Structures are given as C-alpha cells and as structure tokens.
C-alpha cells in the first residue's frame, strides 16, 4: 500500500485473502464514530489581549479573532483571554457508569471480585474482607 | 486526591494495548477492516472478535483501546485534551478509568467523573514508579501504564501495539493528531521522545522481577525481548 498526500492507495496484497472468513458481526455496517458519540455544539469566541492562542487541534487564533469552537476545546484556564460571545450553557453533569463490582464465592472461605460482565478482576482468590476492600478501592 | 492502586493482580500477568498498527497484524485482523477502522468507517469494536484470546486476561487499554470492548479491565490515558473528546463515551464505559493528567489532580470526588487519578512521579520521571499513587510518565501514556501494571502486582507484562513508528497509519484507530501530516504543531512524530524511557523501564523491571515482552518483532523498542503473539500466548 502506498500513501499519497491525501489518500491511501490499497494494493491487492493489502486486501483480505479469499479464504479468510470474516465474522458477520464485523461485516455489518456501523455508523462512523469519532469517539464522542455526538458532535459537540460550537459557540463563538473572541481572543482578547495580545499574543496568539493555540488550540489542541493546532489551529492558531490571532489577537481579537472571532472563531467557533466547542466548550471542551477552550480550557477553563484560558477563559480570561478567550471569551465567549454568547451565554455559556449550564454545565450538565455526566451520568457516569463507575463499574459495578461484586463478591462471588470461589471455594469455601475464598472469594473473587467480578465486574459487571462477570469477569474475575483479582488474580488469586481472596478472603472475604480482602475482597470487600478491593471493591471499596475500585469504587473510590 | 490520588488513587491508591490495589495489588489485585499479584503474581499474574497483564497485557497493555497500545495504539500501534502492529496490534491488528499480530491478531491477523484483515487489512480492510483495519483500514475501515482507521478512516472511521468501522468502530474499533470490529476488532473485538479477533481478540477473543484476550477477553479473559487482564488487559489495560491505552487511549482509544477502550472502544474495542468492555471486556478490557482498565483504561489508562494521560492526555487531558484526549479526555475531553472521549468524555461522554467514557462515562458509559464500565471499566476502570485511570489517568495521570493534572486536569484531575485537585478535583473533588464528585467531580472525578469516574476517573482514578495517579500523579506523575517527579522523583522518577523515567522507569517504573514505586509509589502506588503515582506513575512514571516516561513521556507517553503507554509507558506510564507499565507503572500501573506494576502497581497491580503483575510479574509479566505483554506490550501490544508498542511500535514507536508510523507505517501506513500512525495508530490502528487512525491518527490522534492530523497535524502530523500537515506540518503544523505536531509536524515531528513524537516516537524518538517516547523511546527515551524504555531503557530505564527495563532496568526497573529487572530490579522488581517483572518480565516485559514486546509482542511486535519489528518494534523500534529494543529494551525488551520481541516476540510474536503465538509465542506470547504460549509463554
């Protein structure tokens, strides 16, 4: 496969051999995901004062420039030099799935800690008190 | 508040899944699937059926690796801007989420968003931290996660996707920073800098009796034995 400036050319040797069976769940089409699930809402901002502001994506914002960016792209520490031109929406707190862990008996007197998928988290079985301590540590 | 890492994998082994393009190759994932994932036409979870041998093992994913599946025990990330991009998805991901990004350093528990914070060990910037509430940063998340694995108590670590070079794509999930190609802020690939910590990691691992294997025979990291996936699974 060779790579040009903007496109990737795929040669025959890069493709799947005919005898490779690809699982069906892999072949079913899925929507592209950029990792965020949904596109964050963009707001208008102005860079005030001297000097430039460099965003995480490499974009350089000049003094007094008005630009669009999601709230997440402007760190709180820079909000004095990059000011929003409209009211910032109230921050909605995330509903976090912090993982559910349970103690499960392994053998008489010994216990495992399992996660929500039923996967054993500990390497070796533990005494009940140690298992509870582990859950407490993981749930901190 | 710093998390105190529990030694829950004492004497065991774990796999650390980095972002290098060698990972799907080791698992013989067809090239067209890898390319679809890299350009965003498939989700990284498309890799999951091919990684079935790992589903019941202890696995720490680095950055985007969490998107492969919920069977991964833990996720480690060190980049605050990466977190902002993945924040909403991560809230729904049930595994352990661990970071060393200072963004979480002084947050109250209710503001941690389910993320555990380990500070960067400034006494030992390279190598493996001995402080269970810190990691040696070594300049990148994958190397820092070796400290996390050591805190968990493992005696054997298998590194996946620790290539430290860019071939067709920089990562098996596409690129973190498109500017690497365009010659912007990140015009210089960071791999030379990332390589600096590994010799000290190897020395610390030897001192602590931890075996580290690099599951990529052509990796640029020369500090650990390089093996194939088959050899790793039979080790």
């Amino acid at each position: 496969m060779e790579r040009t400036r903007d496109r990737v050319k795929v040669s025959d040797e890069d493709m799947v051999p005919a005898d490779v069976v690809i699982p069906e769940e892999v072949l079913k089409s899925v929507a592209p995901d950029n990792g965020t699930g949904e596109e964050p809402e963009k707001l208008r901002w102005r860079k005030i004062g001297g000097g430039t502001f460099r965003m995480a994506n490499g974009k350089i914002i000049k003094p007094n420039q008005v630009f669009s960016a999601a709230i997440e792209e402007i760190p709180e520490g820079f909000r004095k030099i990059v000011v929003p031109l409209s009211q910032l929406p109230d921050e909605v707190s995330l509903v976090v799935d912090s993982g559910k862990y349970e103690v499960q008996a392994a053998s008489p007197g010994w216990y495992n800690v399992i996660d929500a998928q039923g996967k054993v988290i500990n390497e070796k079985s533990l005494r009940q008190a140690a298992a509870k301590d582990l859950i407490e540590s993981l749930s901190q | 508040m710093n998390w105190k890492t529990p030694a829950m994998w004492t004497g065991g082994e774990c796999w650390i899944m980095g972002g290098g393009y060698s990972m799907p190759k080791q698992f013989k994932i067809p090239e067209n699937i890898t390319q679809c994932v890299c350009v965003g036409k498939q989700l990284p979870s498309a890799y999951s059926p091919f990684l079935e041998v790992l589903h019941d093992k202890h696995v720490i994913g680095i950055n985007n690796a969490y998107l492969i599946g919920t069977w991964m025990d833990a996720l480690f990330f060190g980049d605050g801007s990466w977190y902002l991009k993945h924040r909403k998805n991560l809230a729904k991901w049930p595994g352990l989420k661990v970071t060393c990004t200072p963004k979480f350093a002084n947050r109250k528990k209710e503001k941690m968003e389910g993320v555990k914070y380990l500070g960067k060990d400034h006494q030992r910037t390279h190598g493996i931290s001995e402080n269970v509430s810190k990691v040696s940063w070594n300049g990148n998340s994958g190397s820092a996660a070796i400290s996390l694995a050591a805190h968990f108590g493992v005696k054997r670590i298998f590194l996946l996707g620790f290539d430290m070079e860019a071939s067709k794509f920089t990562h098996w999930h596409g690129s973190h920073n498109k500017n690497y190609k365009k010659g912007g802020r990140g015009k210089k690939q960071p791999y030379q800098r990332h390589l600096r910590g590994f010799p000290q990691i190897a020395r610390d691992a030897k001192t602590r009796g931890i075996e580290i294997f690099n599951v990529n025979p052509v990796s640029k990291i020369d500090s650990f034995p390089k093996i194939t996936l088959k050899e790793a699974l039979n080790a």
Side-chain angles (χ1 to χ4, degrees), chain A residues 74-85:
Chain A
I74 311 296
E76 280 179 32
F78 289 89
R79 301 271 168 90
K80 282 183 183 169
I81 58 164
V82 180
V83 294
L85 296 179

Side-chain angles (χ1 to χ4, degrees), chain A residues 1 3 10 14 16 26 30 32-36 57 72 94 97 99 117 119 121-123 137-138 140, chain B residues 3 8-9 31-32 35 40 42-43 55 57-58 71 73 84-85 89 91 94 97 116 168 179 181:
Chain A
M1 189 180 75
R3 195 171 177 182
V10 182
D14 291 324
V16 192
V26 173
V30 289
D33 190 325
N34 64 2
T36 58
N57 62 9
E72 290 84 359
L94 282 179
D97 183 348
Q117 280 84 40
K119 184 175 178 181
I121 290 294
N122 48 291
E123 176 67 23
S137 174
L138 296 174
Q140 265 177 16
Chain B
W3 187 48
M8 60 186 188
W9 297 342
E31 184 76 19
N32 59 351
Q35 288 178 16
Q42 283 268 20
L43 294 169
H55 288 196
K57 298 191 185 303
H58 300 313
W71 46 265
D73 301 85
L84 289 178
K85 193 178 172 197
N89 266 357
K97 291 157 266 196
K116 315 269 189 271
K168 293 171 184 173
N179 293 305
K181 287 185 225 166

Side-chain angles (χ1 to χ4, degrees), chain B residues 48-169:
Chain B
S48 189
F50 298 93
L51 307 180
E52 211 172 341
V53 289
L54 296 186
H55 288 196
D56 61 348
K57 298 191 185 303
H58 300 313
V59 183
I60 300 172
I62 306 300
N63 297 332
N64 290 36
Y66 83 96
L67 291 164
I68 295 176
T70 53
W71 46 265
M72 238 170 253
D73 301 85
L75 160 74
F76 186 88
F77 65 92
D79 182 353
S81 59
W82 177 90
Y83 177 73
L84 289 178
K85 193 178 172 197
H86 292 262
R87 183 172 167 250
K88 289 177 185 169
N89 266 357
L90 279 176
K92 293 178 273 182
W93 193 76
L96 271 175
K97 291 157 266 196
V98 187
T99 188
C100 63
T101 178
K103 188 184 286 289
F104 289 89
N106 296 311
R107 287 193 185 187
K108 291 177 181 170
K109 191 186 171 188
E110 57 272 20
K111 293 273 185 186
M112 290 298 283
E113 301 182 348
V115 176
K116 315 269 189 271
Y117 173 71
L118 298 175
K120 289 179 184 173
D121 190 339
H122 297 297
Q123 307 297 317
R124 189 179 282 270
T125 54
H126 291 85
I128 301 174
S129 176
E130 291 179 354
N131 185 333
V132 295
S133 293
K134 293 183 178 179
V135 292
S136 294
W137 171 234
N138 293 294
N140 66 94
S141 301
S143 308
I146 294 174
S147 288
L148 177 63
H151 296 336
F152 282 147
V154 298
K155 285 293 169 196
R156 189 179 277 179
I157 298 171
F158 296 104
L159 305 176
L160 285 165
F162 277 60
D163 304 353
M164 299 303 154
E165 66 166 345
S167 50
K168 293 171 184 173
F169 292 94

